Structures are given as structure tokens and as C-alpha cells.
Amino acid sequence: MALANHHLYRGHSLLRRIPSDVRAAVTSRIVFPRASVVAQASPMATAAAPEAPTAQAGSAQKRVVFVVGGPGSGKGTQCDMLARDFGVPFFSAGELIRSLIASGCPEGKQLQDIILQGHIIPSEVTVGLLQKAMATTTSDTVLIDGFPRNHENRTVWASQVGYDCDMVLLFDCPDEVMLQRLLGRAGQGSRADDNEETIKKRVKNFKSQMEPVLEHYRAIGKVTTIRTDRPIADVYAEVSGIWRQRFANTTAA
Ligand code: ADP
Ligand code: C5P
Ligand code: MG
């Protein structure tokens, strides 16, 4: 499905059938103040966080770090380590989408079909999920993995969230290395989109659709690039060094 086609979904039934709490976050800049249960229990948030409100959690402006890079470049691996060592809440756009699908929502099949084609789902849905996830933490700094993925993701974030990220960490890794890593992960059997055909589409779409996003962020000096075709520990030495230098006083939720 071409990117343009998913506008069919946006004005169509897909958004109307998104669960009401996500839809509210999608359609309003005032997100639900929910407790940080997901972020406290695990740095990885899920779509479902139906917990009681807290005083501080909510839509206050945060320092947001977007972690972007091709599929298999190591975003999840490195974000897990940053979350563990610095206590920074970490939200994965892809995980939030997979959790929404796993929740059995009626539009799940349409979303899964888009993912299996290696395309990007409607940005209002993803930004709504991220807003809801961010509202679960009082931390003033959050890591967001796998977002933005295209120009529309970025512009919908700007209009729905109302402020921009502080920094974009770009993981740069050769296509062939990413392919081999994901085929290795496929052996663990957890993701339907980790098959060679879909991986190749994901890589191709990442490169073409991220170009304008990176151009934008480079022009305003927000991109820090890290080569990730190195051992995990070597990549982390650089990533954690950047984090320490930039966010020494990070306060976790
Ligand atoms: P992403 O979130 O960017 O798609 P992941 O962090 O999930 O990537 O990593 C994809 C696969 O590659 C996983 O099986 C992971 O263990 C492995 N991996 C991640 N970083 C490295 C690395 N630096 N060297 C070798 N394998 C890696
Ligand atoms: O980042 P991750 O590999 O978990 O993403 C898996 C898939 O989820 C992507 O290939 C894409 O289909 C979908 N996705 C999306 N929009 C995002 C992030 C992920 O549509 N911002
Ligand atoms: Mg990932």
C-alpha cells in the first residue's frame, strides 16, 4: 500500500474505531493524566495503561529524545540499556502499535496489514498512543524509539503535541547488517514482520521516507549520528556518553 493510500484510513473508519481513550489522545492535545504504572513496572510502555490519575503525570512539556534508524539498527537494544542505567522512560512506537493490535481492537487487521507491507500506519494513531504513554510518567525526559518514521509523523506530532523533540539520535547501520540481524531475530519467532520480504520493504521505506525528516532536523542542528554496525557494548559506550553529557541531571519517574 502506498503512503498516499493510508489517507483512506485516516478519514475512513479506522480512526473512528480506535479505542476511545486513544482516540481522545488522538483528537485532543489534552491527554489523560494516568499513573505511571507501565513506565514504573517496565521501561517499555504498552498501549494499555488504564490506571488512576496522578497529580503530576500528564501533558506537561517534556524533553523528548527521538531514537531513529533502520529496522535492526539496534534502537530497542540501546534504549533498553539507557532506560536501565539512567531510569529514563522509554516508549517504542512499534511496541505501542503492536500492543494496540494485540488488544483485539477492530481495526487490528488493517493495522497489521500495513505493518506486514512495511508501511507506516496513520500518524494520528501513533501520536495518540505516544501521548497516552507519555502521560503515564512524571519524568521530565523521555526516550521515544522508532518515531518519527516519515514527514507526516513529524508534522502530526508537531500539531498534536505542540512542541518538538530536543534531540534526534540517528542509528546508522548498513542494510545488509540490519537484514542479517533481523533474520537472526526472526529465528526467535516473535514478529510477523521479521521475514525477508517485509524487512526489505521496511529498509527501503525507512530510507526514502526518513530523508525529509532528517533533512529538517539536520537543518536545525538536532541530529546526532551513531554508527551501530559495531558490538553492542561499543555502541552503548558512545550512546551512554552522549546521554551523560547531554542529560546529566535526568530525573526519572
Ligand atoms: P531495532 O529496534 O532498531 O529494530 P533491535 O535493537 O531490536 O533493533 O535489534 C535487532 C536485532 O539485532 C536483535 O536481535 C538484537 O539483539 C540485535 N542487535 C542489536 N544491536 C546489535 C549490535 N550492535 N550488534 C549485533 N547485534 C545487535
Ligand atoms: O520500530 P519497529 O520495528 O518496532 O516498527 C515496526 C513497524 O511498526 C514498522 O515497520 C511500521 O510498520 C510500524 N510503525 C509505524 N509508525 C511508527 C513506528 C512503527 O507505522 N512510527
Ligand atoms: Mg525495535
Side-chain angles (χ1 to χ4, degrees):
M1 177 179 302
L3 182 65
N5 283 350
H6 87 217
H7 293 289
L8 289 174
Y9 288 92
R10 187 177 336 151
H12 211 257
S13 56
L14 187 58
L15 269 182
R16 285 200 301 276
R17 290 192 287 143
I18 292 290
S20 57
D21 52 353
V22 173
R23 192 170 55 240
V26 164
T27 53
S28 167
R29 281 180 48 188
I30 302 174
V31 294
F32 295 119
R34 293 182 188 277
S36 182
V37 167
V38 175
Q40 284 166 5
S42 155
M44 173 72 76
T46 67
E51 313 304 331
T54 59
Q56 278 86 32
S59 55
Q61 183 161 336
K62 298 180 187 303
R63 290 191 299 196
V64 174
V65 176
F66 289 147
V67 182
V68 301
S73 59
K75 302 180 297 296
T77 302
Q78 298 294 323
C79 286
D80 267 339
M81 295 162 86
L82 285 174
R84 178 197 66 197
D85 293 347
F86 296 95
V88 57
F90 149 39
F91 304 111
S92 157
E95 281 295 332
L96 290 167
I97 295 165
R98 285 188 287 280
S99 295
L100 176 65
I101 294 170
S103 73
C105 61
E107 72 284 359
K109 174 154 183 357
Q110 286 169 293
L111 294 173
Q112 184 68 0
D113 286 347
I114 296 172
I115 287 174
L116 288 177
Q117 286 304 310
H119 289 297
I120 301 306
I121 74 157
S123 301
E124 288 83 351
V125 175
T126 312
V127 175
L129 289 168
L130 288 171
Q131 286 180 293
K132 187 181 165 206
M134 287 198 303
T136 64
T137 179
T138 55
S139 173
D140 61 3
T141 306
V142 295
L143 262 178
I144 295 185
D145 157 10
F147 186 96
R149 284 293 237 279
N150 60 17
H151 173 75
E152 187 201 63
N153 267 188
R154 185 181 75 69
T155 55
V156 170
W157 169 282
S159 61
Q160 277 184 207
V161 176
Y163 60 88
D164 200 4
C165 67
D166 268 48
M167 176 164 67
V168 177
L169 282 180
L170 169 63
F171 285 8
D172 182 23
C173 194
D175 295 359
E176 188 53 33
V177 174
M178 296 194 291
L179 174 65
Q180 291 311 322
R181 285 180 186 172
L182 291 185
L183 289 176
R185 191 173 69 180
Q188 296 153 17
S190 59
R191 281 183 47 177
D193 58 343
D194 280 348
N195 62 79
E196 187 158 354
E197 192 188 337
T198 304
I199 294 167
K200 286 184 171 163
K201 288 180 183 168
R202 287 159 64 196
V203 170
K204 182 168 166 277
N205 291 335
F206 171 78
K207 286 163 92 168
S208 61
Q209 296 182 24
M210 279 304 284
E211 187 100 1
V213 177
L214 294 172
E215 213 169 280
H216 168 85
Y217 281 124
R218 282 197 181 104
I220 55 174
K222 288 195 172 175
V223 178
T224 300
T225 304
I226 297 137
R227 285 213 57 158
T228 59
D229 55 334
R230 295 178 286 157
I232 291 174
D234 292 7
V235 176
Y236 189 61
E238 186 173 346
V239 168
S240 57
I242 291 166
W243 192 271
R244 220 170 263 117
Q245 191 179 25
R246 183 72 178 257
F247 301 116
N249 298 318
T250 298
T251 52

